Amino acid sequence: MKPQSEVKPDPRRELPSVERLARSLRRHEPTLPKWTAVEAARIEIQHEREHVLNASRPPLAEAQLLERALRRAWRLLAPHPQRVINATGIVLHTNLGRAPLAPGAAEAVAAAASRYVDLELDLETGRRGDRLAAVSDKLARLSGAEAAFAVNNNAAAVLLVLNTLALGRQVVVSRGELVEIGGSFRVPEIMERSGVVLVEVGATNRTHLADYERAIGDETALLLKVHRSNFEQRGFVSEVGLSELSELGRRRGLPVVEDLGSGTLVQIPGLPAEAWAPGRLRQGADLVCFSGDKLLGGPQAGILLGRTDLVDALRRNPLARALRLDKLGLAALDWTLNAYLDGRAERDILVLALLTAPLERLERRAQRLAERLEKAVGARASFRCLAEPGLVGGGSLPGFELPGVAVAVRAEGGAQRLAERLRQAPVPVLARIHDDELLLDVRTLLDEDEIELEAAIKRALSVASD
Ligand SMILES: *Cc1c(COP(=O)(O)O)cnc(C)c1O
């Protein structure tokens, strides 16, 4: 038997205390706030303890631990959300905040944020005013709708419509449209929480007009159509078109509502017409709703267009107050609608400019980027331009591809590792990977992104910066 003294000491004892590591962090970086140093030290020591306990690897030397804790501290200090570079080519990326606002819209937000504003004041009479009056008028003017309304987001719009028009009654929806959007918005669940009774009709792949007809009874309050935003159905499929459904609604005295998901106020050349909200109203929908930060290119909002009596009912629902748009979103939406009214939307609204960028311009940009990166990193990676279809994204126009161009990067250590390091850059870069190449799609690069992109690539490939 071995004497007691030769038993290995508990390696956890070799770890510094949280206080000691936090003190070294602040000696190293005197500007680091105390809370960040303590929190970073606590998290990293906890991680180390777990590693040592699971014997997954020997404990880190103190210098390494310090370096990790420093990185952690900077991450804790970073603002959230922080700027990233979207090199995925997906214009409306829900994880990346969907539509970036045009600079003018962002200025309107800043102005409304830091001053007093006439949010709910009628300057003519000095009495209380309606926060939504201006944008409602503009929305109606742009779309030709009788009336318009806006709330915090499209999920809120759907909730408000169902709760206002069908509380305690039945809403008929096709089984092919009971979709889930982004994990937390599921049509059946939002219907339940809105206080309405879902009546499913048809089969997953096929729904016919007769299915709707049979489902209508005394308890039916409305017919709902939901855009399949993030998937397509192919093969043996059929659905009832909006005109047909609207005709049925009129015959039976029931409003027909469409959740369009992604909607536009203008027809965008090169994109399918189905997203054009005025077209949906012309096909007979009594109400349509869609997101402000998808194809419209504005702030997060839920836009509602349609019949005056229905919109008035929405306005009067006490839930409208709980779902209302805030002054920052309102300022951005107002600016965005002005851009449409002035006829400068395709130039000034960033999302539209990105979606309609001509292929030749993308090709030139990719060429320039490839040359620039080649010059910056020398032999550490190879760069070539290739044609790559891009997606609209954000639950918009599934299956619809935009012709695009990407710079494909092949680097030592592989694309996965490069992608990881780019995500950890001071301005993180997000890109796609295909066949062990990293694809930098130029469609979604914004002005000045190239500078940070070059810096991130150099850093990721350990090229000294000059
Ligand atoms: C995106 C989407 C929603 C949710 O809209 P938010 O603005 O994210 O709340 C609801 N319905 C459909 C069909 C959508 O595509």
Side-chain angles (χ1 to χ4, degrees), residues 98 153-155 181 185 226-227 229 259 261-262 291 293-294 301 395:
R98 290 198 189 146
N153 59 10
N154 189 38
I181 287 132
F185 180 92
V226 183
H227 191 268
S229 299
D259 173 10
S262 195
S291 300
D293 56 355
K294 292 183 182 170

Side-chain angles (χ1 to χ4, degrees), residues 15-260:
L15 292 170
S17 68
V18 170
E19 294 75 48
R20 197 170 105 201
L21 184 54
R23 264 200 311 277
S24 333
L25 280 169
R26 294 189 77 203
R27 251 200 316 279
H28 231 79
E29 287 292 344
T31 57
L32 214 56
K34 187 164 178 208
W35 74 268
T36 342
V38 172
E39 184 64 6
R42 194 188 60 71
I43 295 171
E44 290 306 327
I45 287 175
Q46 178 68 27
H47 276 188
E48 273 310 286
R49 262 188 212 185
E50 279 158 24
H51 276 299
V52 171
L53 211 60
N54 303 333
S56 52
R57 58 161 170 72
L60 292 176
E62 200 161 334
Q64 269 176 301
L65 189 59
L66 181 69
E67 200 186 302
R68 277 190 190 215
L70 257 181
R71 271 210 304 272
R72 168 82 57 182
W74 291 128
R75 273 211 301 282
L76 288 172
L77 266 188
H80 183 85
Q82 74 169 112
R83 174 186 168 192
V84 301
I85 291 173
N86 177 5
T88 65
I90 300 169
V91 176
L92 296 169
H93 199 306
T94 296
N95 297 354
L96 305 185
R98 290 198 189 146
L101 288 180
E107 279 163 28
V109 172
S114 57
R115 313 259 183 207
Y116 292 110
V117 289
D118 64 344
L119 183 64
E120 291 192 355
L121 183 75
D122 181 336
L123 289 173
E124 227 157 276
T125 61
R127 297 224 181 84
R128 183 174 183 138
D130 175 358
R131 72 166 58 208
L132 279 181
V135 298
S136 298
D137 282 353
K138 289 173 189 177
L139 281 167
R141 188 180 304 271
L142 280 162
S143 64
E146 271 180 33
F149 196 55
V151 289
N152 184 47
N153 59 10
N154 189 38
V158 175
L159 174 74
L160 184 63
V161 167
L162 295 171
N163 181 273
T164 306
L165 305 181
L167 183 63
R169 299 174 64 207
Q170 295 179 352
V171 174
V172 184
V173 194
S174 158
R175 288 201 169 89
E177 298 172 5
L178 296 175
V179 300
E180 171 180 307
I181 287 132
S184 53
F185 180 92
R186 285 177 158 181
V187 171
E189 290 172 5
I190 201 91
M191 291 183 76
E192 191 188 325
R193 292 300 174 118
S194 309
V196 310
V197 180
L198 164 65
V199 177
E200 305 174 21
V201 297
T204 306
N205 56 333
R206 289 169 73 84
T207 302
H208 308 285
L209 194 66
D211 297 321
Y212 285 97
E213 274 178 324
R214 264 198 307 278
I216 295 173
D218 294 342
E219 281 307 302
T220 311
L222 67 87
L223 309 179
L224 178 67
K225 198 161 173 58
V226 183
H227 191 268
R228 282 192 204 102
S229 299
N230 48 12
F231 72 107
E232 310 175 85
Q233 287 193 327
R234 289 187 203 187
F236 189 55
V237 296
S238 91
E239 64 176 305
V240 177
L242 183 60
S243 330
E244 240 185 316
L245 192 64
S246 304
E247 215 278 311
L248 172 64
R250 256 193 308 285
R251 253 191 295 128
R252 307 295 289 266
L254 295 170
V256 173
V257 176
E258 181 170 47
D259 173 10
L260 196 51

Side-chain angles (χ1 to χ4, degrees), residues 165-445:
L165 305 181
L167 183 63
R169 299 174 64 207
Q170 295 179 352
V171 174
V172 184
V173 194
S174 158
R175 288 201 169 89
E177 298 172 5
L178 296 175
V179 300
E180 171 180 307
I181 287 132
S184 53
F185 180 92
R186 285 177 158 181
V187 171
E189 290 172 5
I190 201 91
M191 291 183 76
E192 191 188 325
R193 292 300 174 118
S194 309
V196 310
V197 180
L198 164 65
V199 177
E200 305 174 21
V201 297
T204 306
N205 56 333
R206 289 169 73 84
T207 302
H208 308 285
L209 194 66
D211 297 321
Y212 285 97
E213 274 178 324
R214 264 198 307 278
I216 295 173
D218 294 342
E219 281 307 302
T220 311
L222 67 87
L223 309 179
L224 178 67
K225 198 161 173 58
V226 183
H227 191 268
R228 282 192 204 102
S229 299
N230 48 12
F231 72 107
E232 310 175 85
Q233 287 193 327
R234 289 187 203 187
F236 189 55
V237 296
S238 91
E239 64 176 305
V240 177
L242 183 60
S243 330
E244 240 185 316
L245 192 64
S246 304
E247 215 278 311
L248 172 64
R250 256 193 308 285
R251 253 191 295 128
R252 307 295 289 266
L254 295 170
V256 173
V257 176
E258 181 170 47
D259 173 10
L260 196 51
S262 195
T264 64
L265 294 167
V266 296
Q267 279 177 294
I268 306 170
L271 294 184
E274 65 182 59
W276 186 47
R280 311 309 282 176
L281 294 172
R282 283 184 204 171
Q283 283 188 43
D286 296 287
L287 264 184
V288 295
C289 63
F290 56 93
S291 300
D293 56 355
K294 292 183 182 170
L295 279 177
L296 188 69
Q300 176 186 303
I303 311 289
L304 291 135
L305 306 172
R307 265 168 47 191
T308 304
D309 58 330
L310 303 180
V311 170
D312 281 345
L314 301 179
R315 232 189 277 279
R316 285 194 304 267
N317 186 334
L319 267 184
R321 167 62 196 262
L323 306 174
R324 76 181 182 185
L325 196 57
D326 76 308
K327 65 178 176 182
L328 306 186
L330 196 55
L333 182 58
D334 185 70
W335 189 95
T336 305
L337 297 178
N338 283 337
Y340 281 101
L341 284 167
D342 299 350
R344 53 186 170 81
E346 275 179 48
R347 193 194 67 207
D348 284 357
I349 292 180
L350 215 43
V351 163
L352 299 190
L354 298 179
L355 286 171
T356 58
L359 193 57
E360 310 82 70
R361 198 195 305 156
L362 298 176
E363 279 165 352
R364 279 199 304 277
R365 195 166 185 189
Q367 198 61 49
R368 276 203 310 274
L369 179 64
E371 283 161 17
R372 175 182 191 146
L373 295 177
E374 196 135 54
K375 216 159 100 201
V377 310
R380 297 207 183 217
S382 69
F383 302 90
R384 69 193 176 100
C385 296
L386 82 172
E388 242 327 281
L391 301 170
V392 176
S396 306
L397 315 178
F400 183 80
E401 289 181 346
L402 291 162
V405 193
V407 174
V409 190
R410 200 172 277 281
E412 242 173 76
Q416 196 67 47
R417 199 175 120 86
L418 180 59
E420 260 164 46
R421 303 198 65 174
L422 288 175
R423 274 205 315 277
Q424 282 150 18
V427 180
V429 177
L430 287 308
R432 298 204 303 267
I433 292 177
H434 184 69
D435 259 351
D436 205 32
E437 277 184 315
L438 185 93
L439 303 182
L440 302 167
D441 193 316
V442 296
R443 183 183 292 279
T444 42
L445 294 184

